[in-house]
Amino acid sequence: MRNKKSLLGFAVMTMFSAAASGCIKTDAADFEGFQKVVDEYAKITLRMDAESALVDAAYASVEKYLEDPNLDQLQETAGEVEHAFRQLYDQYTQMEEYKMPEEISELIEEYDIFYEDFMTYASEEKTQVVEYILDLGDVYEYLSYEATDLPLTEELAFFFDILNQCQKINCNYMYTSINYWFAGRSEKELAYVEEAVTDRLISFCSDGYEWDKNQADVEDRLNAYLDEIADLRLDWKIYLGEQQAEINQMKQELEGEAE
């Protein structure tokens, strides 16, 4: 698994940092402007959510195969992984650099949203899709050995367990980041966020999530998720290092016997 600097970076964690101390706007005109900003955010986030859902479906099939390895399931799982890979690759090739609509750029900072942070958040979608593609490609490669005389089932299971855990943590992270973003908003504004964003999510989720009005507490949750992911990546690096050490030892032994 590649070393990812972060899941969608730390940009989300710096957004709306002024919201906690800023004035929450409530009149009709300001609420209409808020809706427009949320709609732009929803357009980006729901697209990211759909991309994550493709990964969810592929990983669910891999999990099914590992629970009951058989040729029919292997073929189905390889097909699911390839489908997600191709869908995401096609989307990647069609992605263009994000350009904020002029109307939104004129509104956004009125709601304590920093233009640069929002741009970073939107631009990170492409980076995340690349990571999905690379991970799915690695899973497919491991699967390709399963029907051979030298299957790598143990390696696949270990690698997939880490990927699957990271994916679930990422979904929790992304859902929690919505809370961070809108932690200080009014009930009316939050109701619109729910309508436009959270009620429409299919991948980004957190079972039993309790909305927190304290932005600092939400940030602690986000940092905890990032720490979990970093630990998992480290486990994979250690595992690869151990595997390479075993291979090097075997090579030395074979070279010694040849002499």
Side-chain angles (χ1 to χ4, degrees), residues 1-4 7 55 58-59 62 81 84-85 88 127-143 156 159-160 162-164 166-167 170 233 236:
M1 184 171 62
R2 271 61 175 189
N3 180 20
K4 305 177 183 177
L7 297 177
V55 178
Y59 285 4
V62 176
V81 172
F85 179 94
L88 289 165
T127 300
Q128 183 64 75
V129 169
V130 170
E131 298 296 345
Y132 287 149
I133 291 169
L134 293 174
D135 288 341
L136 287 166
D138 287 342
V139 171
Y140 188 85
E141 184 175 356
Y142 277 113
L143 288 170
L156 168 62
F159 176 60
F160 173 71
I162 289 176
L163 280 186
N164 200 31
C166 285
Q167 173 66 4
N170 185 39
R233 291 178 190 149
W236 178 242

Side-chain angles (χ1 to χ4, degrees), residues 61 64-66 68-80 143 146-147:
S61 188
K64 189 174 180 180
Y65 169 72
L66 289 172
D68 181 23
N70 62 78
L71 185 58
D72 289 341
Q73 184 59 50
L74 175 61
Q75 292 174 340
E76 180 180 330
T77 296
E80 287 281 355
L143 288 170
E146 289 299 288

Side-chain angles (χ1 to χ4, degrees), residues 177-195:
S177 72
I178 301 171
N179 186 174
Y180 181 85
W181 202 339
F182 301 107
R185 297 296 167 178
S186 68
E187 289 187 10
K188 181 180 179 181
E189 290 170 326
L190 289 178
Y192 188 74
V193 172
E194 183 176 358
E195 175 188 338

